[in-house]
Amino acid sequence: MINIQGLSKQDVQICKLLWNCDTMEAVDRMVNAMPPAYKKRAQSMRELMTAAQLDQVETVHENITQYLQRIARL
């Protein structure tokens, strides 16, 4: 699970809507269907969520690499 801090209530609602989508295509459709007043913020939330998810993947990769290096030293 990703954690993004400092969001407004509206941002949290948008993130919940986007998080419940099954695919990135569904996320894109959701963002594109939003009224203009929400669309730009939804695009920003999508980018933040994607960046947070990529950061998590990088952390997992680093942890696995460290673990494998420790095994190789045994």
Side-chain angles (χ1 to χ4, degrees), residues 14-74:
I14 290 170
C15 286
K16 286 180 181 180
L17 286 171
L18 299 179
W19 191 260
N20 286 326
C21 294
D22 293 332
T23 64
M24 283 304 293
E25 291 80 14
V27 170
D28 291 339
R29 283 193 303 273
M30 175 74 70
V31 170
N32 290 330
M34 289 188 174
Y38 294 94
K39 191 173 188 173
K40 187 167 179 69
R41 199 65 193 159
Q43 290 168 334
S44 296
M45 292 301 100
R46 176 182 56 196
E47 290 172 15
L48 280 174
M49 292 170 72
T50 300
Q53 196 69 16
L54 289 173
D55 189 47
Q56 260 190 345
V57 168
E58 184 178 335
T59 299
V60 168
H61 178 266
E62 289 171 0
N63 291 343
I64 290 172
T65 301
Q66 290 172 2
Y67 184 69
L68 291 174
Q69 288 171 346
R70 278 188 254 147
I71 290 172
R73 286 186 234 137
L74 295 177

